[in-house]
Amino acid sequence: LLSLGTGTTSEFDKTYTAEETAKWGAIQWMLVIQRMTDAASSYMTDYYLSTVFQAQNSQKNYLRVQESALTGTTTEMDDASEANMESLVQVGENLLKKPVSKDNPETYEEALKRFAKLLSDRKKLRANKASY
């Protein structure tokens, strides 16, 4: 399973003071809660899937690709400006160089190549079986 995320912002876990939040209106609260909910949903999906694959001793068959530290305009899903698209390309290129996790020092680039080979090998195996 190759799970491709749309990215999350690292800003959702900011610490806000009571004085600051006391001045917030409904819109500000909704924006912060939405970011937290989106990030929590993404993290929990990854956690559950990762746990299932580990329980089946198949963790090499699961790869989640997700940037967890988006900032600025890269967090805005409705910004398709050329500048933002270039920023997102840079985010993707930088992500390829990062380790998959603290427990897995393999970079995303290495993991994606390994995963592509695994999928290709399985497709060839299925094609060979189908030809008999």
Side-chain angles (χ1 to χ4, degrees):
L1 174 66
L2 177 61
S3 175
L4 301 175
T6 58
T8 61
T9 176
S10 61
E11 298 172 354
F12 80 91
D13 62 352
K14 274 186 180 173
T15 301
Y16 299 102
T17 65
E19 184 177 279
E20 180 182 8
T21 58
K23 298 174 188 171
W24 286 1
I27 302 245
Q28 182 66 33
W29 276 108
M30 283 185 350
L31 292 173
V32 170
I33 290 170
Q34 180 183 3
R35 282 195 304 259
M36 288 179 176
T37 303
D38 290 347
S41 174
S42 175
Y43 290 131
M44 291 309 298
T45 299
D46 179 40
Y47 174 78
Y48 288 134
L49 288 171
S50 179
T51 301
V52 167
F53 278 84
Q54 286 178 18
Q56 298 297 317
N57 200 24
S58 298
Q59 53 268 36
K60 291 287 187 184
N61 294 331
Y62 173 69
L63 178 61
R64 172 74 173 167
V65 179
Q66 169 94 326
E67 174 56 69
S68 303
L70 293 177
T71 59
T73 60
T74 61
T75 64
E76 299 172 16
M77 293 204 182
D78 61 347
D79 185 352
S81 67
E82 189 172 332
N84 197 45
M85 293 294 106
E86 289 173 10
S87 294
L88 288 168
V89 166
Q90 189 61 51
V91 166
E93 289 173 354
N94 292 341
L95 182 61
L96 288 173
K97 298 174 182 121
K98 290 183 179 181
V100 171
S101 70
K102 294 174 187 170
D103 301 330
N104 182 358
E106 181 179 44
T107 66
Y108 278 106
E109 182 174 16
E110 294 164 340
L112 285 166
K113 285 179 181 177
R114 175 185 52 77
F115 213 78
K117 179 165 178 15
L118 177 70
L119 292 174
S120 176
D121 291 347
R122 288 194 179 171
K123 182 178 180 182
K124 289 175 190 172
L125 182 64
R126 281 193 307 274
N128 286 339
K129 284 183 179 179
S131 67
Y132 287 113

